[in-house]
Amino acid sequence: MSVLTFKSPGLHRLQNPDSPELFRENFPYTKVGRINFDGEFTIPHPADPMFITDTTFRDGQQARPPYTVRQIATLYDYLHKLGGHSGLIRQSEFFLYSKKDQRAVKACLAKDYDFPQVTGWIRANKNDLELVRQMGLKETGMLTSVSDYHIYLKLKKDRQKAMDDYLELVEKALEWGIVPRCHFEDVTRADIMGFCVPFAIRLMELAKGSGLPVKIRLCDTMGFGVPYPGAALPRSVARIVNAFTQDAGVPSEWLEWHGHNDFHKVLTNAATAWLYGCSGANGTLLGFGERTGNAPLEALVMEYISLTGDDNAAMTETISEIGEYFERELGYRIPDNYPFVGRDFNATSAGIHVDGLIKNEEIYNIFDTEKILKRSVPIIITDKSGRAGVAYWINQHLALAGDDRIDKRHPIVGRITRAIEQTYEKGRTTHFSNAEMKALVKRYLPELFPTDFDHLKDIAHKLSARIIARLSARNEIRQMRTDQVQGLLDGFLEEFPFVQYIYLINTNGHLVSHAICHKEDVEKYKTFDEHTDFSAREWFTVPTRTGKLHVTDFFKSQFTGKLCLTVATPVDDEESEIQGVLGADIRFEELLRRHEMIIPASDDEDGEEEIL
């Protein structure tokens, strides 16, 4: 249990100067900032417990295109899987302003995970706090800027007025039973002893009176914090943390460090905060954050394990899954050398060949990446790699397994190896990049790569499946009544004219209703009526047997001569019992011409993607 230890307010009175203290000896602005040392040293006293908090959906969204509700819910699942099961990743914070923000919060709350807890983030005003109460959140961060840069130059207040306004909002939050988390914005340019500590002491007094914690997040907004022993305030991370825990009496568990990477110190500063008594280290997935980013959450996980030896606190293989999700679903190209998730983060260009790698990979690998991250050790191709190295690269980078793996004795592997060696004979001195290797292998083994047509087929499958799945969820379809369905099918074809034929079939394989898109094709479909038996068709048998949507291979329509594919999905009732199958024959070429119309445009009220 956290114990509050108060210092006498007389020892740390608020200093309220007429003009701002900008610490020009540290921050001359027209020159690179200075790091001053005053000879005072702080003894490390590691926080107990240490934990991680997440701001992927708040600060992390300020550095990239916004996530959809579905993407937020999926990433929240990954956070829980990575470190939520143990409470290592304790909280995640969310914006609350838009309807989309609020749907995302509801989607994550509905998962009912113990960790990460869902918290809010607001500006320091009562209207924003009301949003927190309406959403039913138990805790929220609130912006309480503490440097004179913000108080005097941005807010146009003095310190006394700023503190009074902040305290008024904190009191209201406590009155409503909401745990306030005061974000001490720009703390590394603030007057620690003249404003931050007196403010923190007042917050601890409010906490004692209310019976609720009042938390503090130390925000190194500009990345000016430094981990060096003997560094002076306001830039010393250790001295800042010590001032809050020792001078202001803030319990370690109520304190968080939130850093930015402007000077490449974001991870080291977070770890320093842990080591000097700050329990919480705040970060984002892959370090996405405003400007230069925040502490990468996956790096904080590794740092935590290194410091504590608690291997069971995190499912580290989830880090690889998160990286794959960012590349596959979010379209983010992770740099090849990015730690833990980059394609080549554990590769070496030191001339290892596969035989040596097999003998002892520990020579060049930081740890057992296969066990810890489910990542095998890649190799860098040079003239020393040989046939074994080329075959290893092909199998690993193309994820070939079993009988599909390429043996080093394959004749084509010999030709590729020789082509590589010839480039070095002509004077090359650098290793082959993954892009170069991919192009070379594709030239000699094109059958291992998807064609442009394969890519188009994949687009067609995804787009057609999406629109049919949405249609099948309509109540008119689920009720399986001809009089209600016909108008809906006709309207659907008007909206999506690349669907040449759409049909609703009951569980006996007979037509309930159907519609034909093009008038010139109506006569051709007259052979289909309520007596036609479709029960043996692939598009009928697979959905009724598996309960899943099914997309057929391409075929040439016997009625129109067009290249088509069929998408069919089961139609169920409220008890999830299959009542029939909804199918559609889709013209491939016309679908591709219109595919830009069928994109995730926004999130509807249920958090689903809206189809334009």
Side-chain angles (χ1 to χ4, degrees):
M1 175 180 290
S2 300
V3 178
L4 290 176
T5 304
F6 293 108
K7 304 294 180 180
S8 168
L11 297 177
H12 300 289
R13 293 186 181 278
L14 172 70
Q15 298 176 22
N16 193 37
D18 293 331
S19 59
E21 170 57 81
L22 302 181
F23 297 100
R24 285 303 184 200
E25 69 276 15
N26 293 96
F27 312 113
Y29 192 61
T30 57
K31 300 177 182 179
V32 176
R34 293 349 189 196
I35 302 171
N36 295 326
F37 293 81
D38 59 8
E40 292 191 25
F41 292 85
T42 300
I43 304 300
H45 47 95
D48 186 15
M50 298 177 185
F51 55 81
I52 297 167
T53 60
D54 169 68
T55 184
T56 295
F57 311 123
R58 202 272 301 175
D59 209 331
Q61 286 205 98
Q62 295 176 232
R64 51 155 287 114
Y67 300 111
T68 68
V69 172
R70 182 181 290 112
Q71 290 166 350
I72 289 173
T74 300
L75 291 173
Y76 183 70
D77 285 335
Y78 279 128
L79 288 170
H80 173 72
K81 183 178 180 182
L82 175 59
H85 66 284
S86 65
L88 171 58
I89 302 177
R90 187 165 291 194
Q91 293 181 325
S92 186
E93 67 180 345
F94 293 74
F95 284 124
L96 304 174
Y97 298 113
S98 71
K99 290 182 178 179
K100 174 189 166 185
D101 294 334
Q102 294 168 15
R103 290 198 302 273
V105 168
K106 291 177 181 177
C108 294
L109 286 172
K111 296 177 183 296
D112 200 29
Y113 295 147
D114 289 334
F115 301 105
Q117 298 164 348
V118 175
T119 71
W121 182 93
I122 61 171
R123 297 158 299 196
N125 66 66
K126 187 176 177 180
N127 290 336
D128 283 12
L129 186 62
E130 179 63 37
L131 290 174
V132 180
R133 183 162 71 160
Q134 291 173 4
M135 293 298 296
L137 298 183
K138 298 177 181 179
E139 179 176 327
T140 187
M142 53 180 63
L143 184 60
T144 54
S145 302
V146 292
S147 77
D148 287 357
Y149 287 86
H150 286 248
I151 293 172
Y152 287 78
L153 304 184
K154 179 182 176 182
L155 301 178
K156 305 300 182 183
K157 300 178 181 180
D158 63 16
R159 294 179 184 177
Q160 185 67 61
K161 174 60 175 171
M163 182 188 292
D164 291 343
D165 290 347
Y166 297 155
L167 291 172
E168 181 181 356
L169 190 67
V170 170
E171 289 175 337
K172 180 59 66 174
L174 294 171
E175 177 188 328
W176 288 350
I178 298 169
V179 174
R181 184 180 64 247
C182 295
H183 289 202
F184 277 40
E185 189 80 7
D186 205 22
V187 72
T188 50
R189 289 196 297 179
D191 187 344
I192 303 299
M193 307 310 294
F195 180 73
C196 295
V197 167
F199 180 25
I201 289 173
R202 289 287 292 117
L203 293 175
M204 295 303 100
E205 291 171 351
L206 292 179
K208 185 176 182 180
S210 69
L212 289 175
V214 176
K215 300 181 180 180
I216 293 174
R217 178 178 290 178
L218 304 171
C219 301
D220 184 14
T221 307
M222 307 300 288
F224 280 123
V226 295
Y228 310 134
L233 290 172
R235 296 190 66 174
S236 169
V237 175
R239 297 273 293 281
I240 291 172
V241 173
N242 189 72
F244 279 85
T245 57
Q246 303 303 310
D247 294 287
V250 182
S252 292
E253 286 189 68
W254 295 4
L255 208 56
E256 283 182 56
W257 181 266
H258 169 91
H260 282 261
N261 202 34
D262 297 73
F263 293 93
H264 292 285
K265 296 184 180 71
V266 68
L267 179 61
T268 301
N269 283 342
T272 300
W274 268 340
L275 292 175
Y276 284 86
C278 175
S279 283
N282 187 245
T284 61
L285 291 175
L286 302 190
F288 278 110
E290 189 177 10
R291 296 191 325 280
T292 56
N294 306 119
L297 190 138
E298 66 280 0
L300 289 173
V301 167
M302 292 298 188
E303 198 73 4
Y304 172 87
I305 294 173
S306 297
L307 289 170
T308 65
D310 186 1
D311 296 298
N312 297 322
M315 295 180 64
T316 49
E317 63 271 20
T318 310
I319 293 172
S320 298
E321 297 175 19
I322 291 169
E324 291 167 2
Y325 182 81
F326 267 84
E327 291 210 317
R328 182 184 68 251
E329 299 295 333
L330 303 179
Y332 175 63
R333 177 70 171 86
I334 298 174
D336 286 349
N337 65 345
Y338 191 87
F340 306 131
V341 292
R343 178 185 288 270
D344 291 334
F345 91 90
N346 58 336
T348 177
S349 57
I352 291 182
H353 17 100
V354 179
D355 294 336
L357 191 66
I358 293 174
K359 288 176 182 177
N360 195 334
E361 69 175 37
E362 189 175 353
I363 296 170
Y364 289 105
N365 208 16
I366 56 174
F367 47 62
D368 187 345
T369 52
E370 178 65 43
K371 176 183 177 182
I372 296 172
L373 294 170
K374 300 297 183 188
R375 293 282 300 275
S376 57
V377 183
I379 63 168
I380 300 296
I381 296 296
T382 69
D383 58 333
K384 305 297 190 298
S385 300
R387 296 173 70 117
V390 170
Y392 185 95
W393 189 97
I394 294 171
N395 291 323
Q396 184 193 60
H397 283 260
L398 300 184
L400 302 180
D403 293 338
D404 293 330
R405 292 179 65 84
I406 299 296
D407 191 275
K408 67 180 181 180
R409 293 165 294 188
H410 193 299
I412 297 299
V413 171
R415 293 174 62 184
I416 295 173
T417 304
R418 182 58 187 152
I420 292 169
E421 292 170 347
Q422 286 174 348
T423 65
Y424 288 94
E425 291 169 2
K426 295 177 181 178
R428 179 172 182 141
T429 58
T430 59
H431 68 262
F432 270 68
S433 68
N434 288 323
E436 288 176 301
M437 278 300 296
K438 183 177 179 181
L440 189 60
V441 175
K442 191 172 184 179
R443 184 195 312 166
Y444 287 96
L445 291 168
E447 64 273 18
L448 297 181
F449 294 84
T451 65
D452 291 340
F453 184 65
D454 292 327
H455 176 63
L456 293 175
K457 286 198 298 184
D458 184 58
I459 292 175
H461 278 219
K462 290 180 178 178
L463 295 180
S464 56
R466 184 179 296 154
I467 61 174
I468 298 303
R470 291 293 298 275
L471 180 63
S472 69
R474 295 286 296 268
N475 287 332
E476 299 95 321
I477 297 292
R478 299 180 76 185
Q479 292 174 6
M480 301 291 290
R481 289 177 51 181
T482 303
D483 57 332
Q484 294 183 342
V485 170
Q486 193 61 55
L488 181 63
L489 296 185
D490 290 337
F492 181 82
L493 293 184
E494 289 182 10
E495 187 174 2
F496 301 111
F498 48 79
V499 179
Q500 72 174 25
Y501 183 49
I502 189 166
Y503 35 92
L504 183 62
I505 311 295
N506 62 27
T507 52
N508 295 322
H510 295 143
L511 275 171
V512 173
S513 184
H514 66 159
I516 301 146
C517 183
H518 304 95
K519 292 181 179 180
E520 65 271 18
D521 296 332
V522 172
E523 288 292 324
K524 303 171 185 176
Y525 283 92
K526 279 193 172 180
T527 56
F528 290 165
D529 58 26
E530 66 273 13
H531 302 295
T532 306
D533 186 359
F534 296 99
S535 61
R537 303 291 180 93
E538 172 195 339
W539 53 260
F540 180 85
T541 59
V542 174
T544 54
R545 184 181 73 251
T546 65
K548 298 179 181 179
L549 183 143
H550 178 65
V551 182
T552 70
D553 203 351
F554 290 93
F555 62 90
K556 185 176 181 180
S557 170
Q558 62 175 317
F559 296 115
T560 65
K562 301 290 185 180
L563 183 64
C564 296
L565 57 84
T566 295
V567 180
T569 187
V571 176
D572 60 7
D573 59 18
E574 293 181 355
E575 281 71 43
S576 298
E577 293 290 335
I578 294 177
Q579 302 298 308
V581 171
L582 177 67
D585 295 344
I586 296 175
R587 294 182 177 183
F588 175 58
E589 186 177 350
E590 293 183 25
L591 170 66
L592 292 180
R593 281 203 295 264
R594 293 173 170 83
H595 81 274
E596 292 184 356
M597 299 165 49
I598 315 168
I599 57 174
S602 64
D603 294 295
D604 65 19
E605 293 183 358
D606 296 319
E608 296 293 332
E609 291 176 331
E610 178 181 319
I611 306 301
L612 289 181

